[in-house]
């Protein structure tokens, strides 16, 4: 049996804009198990990024809880939330956010060095991950010398460099042409399936969403299941 790695419990998020109070998440509930890939597809402005930020402990909910690997996180102090985020959660964004002055290898080493791994071990793991992403010939290239699809594959390798339990991705292929998007998704899917990560991936790409185990959307501030595996 796979275990629940991420659980959102009655998550609330409101924003005040002028005199208006925007309710973005209104009792959102969700569970994600290890090895599971779930697509989050909802119109722009529905609250996907907000939800991912809350699930990834980047933002505090106004109510409810985020439980990661059995640990309730909503009431934890900032430093503990940051520690959990660094060790348990990987993020991939629409734009790669790689550090331009460092090579692909160094970009993937960076989170490991920050979390205290020695350079030799970090280099070895970064090399393995980049090889897994079929980037063994691009390790010494800087981001500007890589194609969009290659940059995203480096960003995925970096996101999982510290062997997180949860991968959160916000339109990871949104900036790529359909063929490249499919290729990058293949690499992401292989990684999730092989590592037992739990992945929640916001995407507008219906073909990619259909390849995931479940599809959810946001409706009136709640997460609603829209389909399962065929
Ligand atoms: P999506 O990712 O689905 O496009 P977002 O989560 O980015 O949606 O935003 C959801 C809504 O919340 C939008 O209407 C956005 O303007 C609003 N919003 C997001 N962050 C803030 C903020 N910090 N302050 C005020 N409104 C915000």
């Amino acid at each position: 049996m796979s275990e629940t790695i991420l659980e959102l419990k009655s998550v609330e998020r409101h924003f005040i804009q002028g005199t208006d109070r925007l309710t973005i998440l209104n009792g959102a509930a969700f569970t994600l198990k290890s090895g599971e890939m779930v697509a989050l597809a909802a119109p722009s402005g529905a609250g996907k990024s907000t939800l991912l930020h809350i699930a990834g402990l980047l933002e505090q909910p106004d109510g409810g809880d985020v439980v990661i690997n059995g640990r309730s996180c909503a009431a934890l102090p900032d430093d503990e939330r940051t520690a959990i985020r660094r060790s348990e959660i990987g993020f991939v964004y629409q734009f790669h956010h790689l550090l331009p002055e460092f090579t692909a290898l160094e970009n993937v080493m960076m989170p490991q060095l920050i979390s205290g791994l020695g350079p030799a071990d970090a280099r070895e793991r970064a090399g393995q991950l980049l090889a897994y992403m079929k980037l063994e010939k691009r390790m010494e290239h800087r981001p500007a010398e890589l194609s969009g699809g290659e940059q995203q594959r480096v960003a995925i390798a970096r996101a999982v460099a510290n062997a997180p339990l949860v991968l959160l991705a916000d339109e990871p292929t949104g900036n790529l042409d359909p063929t490249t998007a499919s290729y990058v998704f293949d690499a992401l899917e292989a990684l999730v399936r092989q590592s037992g990560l739990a992945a929640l991936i916001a995407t507008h790409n219906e073909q990619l969403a259909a390849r995931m185990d479940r599809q959810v959307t946001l409706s009136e501030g709640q997460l609603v299941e829209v389909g399962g595996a065929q």
Side-chain angles (χ1 to χ4, degrees), residues 15 98 149 165 194:
F15 295 114
L98 297 171
L165 298 171
Q194 181 264 345

Coordinates of all heavy atoms in Angstrom, one line a residue, residues 15 98 149 165 194:
F15 N -7.5 36.8 0.2 CA -6.7 38.0 0.0 C -7.6 39.2 0.0 O -8.8 39.1 -0.4 CB -6.1 38.0 -1.4 CG -5.1 36.9 -1.6 CD1 -5.3 35.8 -2.5 CD2 -3.9 36.9 -0.9 CE1 -4.4 34.8 -2.7 CE2 -2.9 35.8 -1.1 CZ -3.2 34.8 -2.0
L98 N 17.1 28.7 -13.1 CA 18.5 28.2 -12.9 C 19.4 29.4 -12.7 O 19.1 30.5 -13.2 CB 19.0 27.3 -14.1 CG 18.2 26.1 -14.3 CD1 18.6 25.4 -15.6 CD2 18.3 25.1 -13.2
G149 N 13.9 23.0 -23.4 CA 13.6 21.6 -22.8 C 14.7 21.1 -21.9 O 14.5 20.5 -20.9
L165 N 10.2 14.0 -0.8 CA 9.0 13.1 -0.9 C 8.0 13.6 -1.9 O 7.2 12.8 -2.4 CB 8.4 12.9 0.5 CG 9.3 12.3 1.6 CD1 8.7 12.4 2.9 CD2 9.6 10.9 1.2
Q194 N 10.0 5.9 -11.0 CA 11.1 5.2 -10.5 C 11.4 5.4 -9.0 O 11.8 4.6 -8.3 CB 12.3 5.5 -11.4 CG 13.6 4.8 -11.1 CD 14.5 5.7 -10.2 OE1 14.3 6.9 -10.1 NE2 15.5 5.0 -9.6

